[in-house]
Amino acid sequence: MAREHGGYQSVHDAIIGTAIDLIVSRGVSEASLAEISTAAKLSKGTIYYYYRTKDELVNAVADLSFAHTTDAIFNWIAGLSKEKNDGAALDPLFEALTAEEDMLRLHAELLLDAMKKTSAIRERMAQKYEEWTVMLDVGILKLPIRLHKELRELAKQFFVVLDGYAAAYCMGVSVDKAAAMRLLRVREDL
């Protein structure tokens, strides 16, 4: 039986989990490998065994965040059908991506870091946004034809609305999630 590491099943999980906690609470630039090793109760050497640089660790955390979004999109696509969807077809995806506070905060912190010219994840995040938009377009093809054109336009704005919501949420600004989702709906009179 594997020894637990501060509630984590492995050393690697402890490193990633602690890195996520520190990034969410302090930001990417403020979470150092030394602080992660202290918080995880691991030696610096152990951290460096798994991740030679902070950028490697940030990329691993970003990969988890990206996988979370990709999985949510795949689940959204799997739940679509021509028979049961209307102009609010993007609502379940928005709800899934905003449901977990830590993942929403992690997304916002990675986005904030990606806005810096020196960011290690800037290009990767931009590439993921392109991938995710294509995935949304594919999902929209499963919906009634009358919704395609307008939903495809909304799909291009989906991540703008999500990012704005995440930023406001992390700043403690009271944002009505239902109002944000309404921005992603096709007019009901189609």
Side-chain angles (χ1 to χ4, degrees):
M1 183 162 141
R3 192 180 90 180
E4 289 196 24
H5 303 275
Y8 295 98
Q9 292 297 312
S10 68
V11 171
H12 182 261
D13 289 350
I15 294 167
I16 293 290
T18 304
I20 289 171
D21 291 345
L22 285 174
I23 288 170
V24 165
S25 66
R26 302 197 55 215
V28 173
S29 61
E30 297 300 317
S32 70
L33 290 179
E35 288 175 314
I36 292 166
S37 71
T38 299
K41 297 182 175 110
L42 298 168
S43 71
K44 287 182 196 175
T46 300
I47 301 290
Y48 286 110
Y49 175 79
Y50 287 91
Y51 299 100
R52 291 177 298 175
T53 65
K54 180 179 168 182
D55 284 348
E56 282 184 17
L57 180 53
V58 170
N59 280 326
V61 168
D63 286 343
L64 289 174
S65 177
F66 297 159
H68 171 76
T69 301
T70 300
D71 290 347
I73 295 171
F74 277 130
N75 289 334
W76 171 74
I77 291 170
L80 294 174
S81 73
K82 290 188 187 304
E83 295 79 38
K84 65 178 184 174
N85 285 291
D86 57 14
L90 293 170
D91 284 7
L93 179 57
F94 192 87
E95 187 62 47
L97 291 173
T98 59
E100 294 179 51
E101 182 179 350
D102 281 350
M103 292 308 290
L104 184 62
R105 288 186 179 279
L106 178 60
H107 176 80
E109 289 297 337
L110 292 171
L111 178 65
L112 180 62
D113 188 68
M115 287 189 259
K116 299 173 185 167
K117 274 189 166 182
T118 58
S119 171
I121 63 162
R122 181 181 186 157
E123 188 174 312
R124 291 180 64 226
M125 187 169 251
Q127 180 183 2
K128 284 295 180 183
Y129 274 51
E130 288 179 25
E131 275 179 38
W132 295 331
T133 302
V134 169
M135 291 172 71
L136 292 182
D137 281 344
V138 169
I140 289 165
L141 294 175
K142 290 181 73 175
L143 298 172
I145 291 174
R146 67 182 171 78
L147 301 174
H148 287 186
K149 183 179 178 186
E150 207 165 340
L151 275 174
R152 290 184 85 190
E153 286 302 314
L154 291 174
K156 293 176 186 173
Q157 305 308 315
F158 182 86
F159 294 101
V160 172
V161 174
L162 177 68
D163 292 346
Y165 177 83
Y169 181 85
C170 290
M171 291 186 301
V173 175
S174 178
V175 179
D176 182 357
K177 187 187 283 192
M181 288 191 293
R182 280 194 298 275
L183 295 171
L184 299 168
R185 290 187 186 151
V186 172
R187 293 185 331 261
E188 298 298 329
D189 60 341
L190 288 178

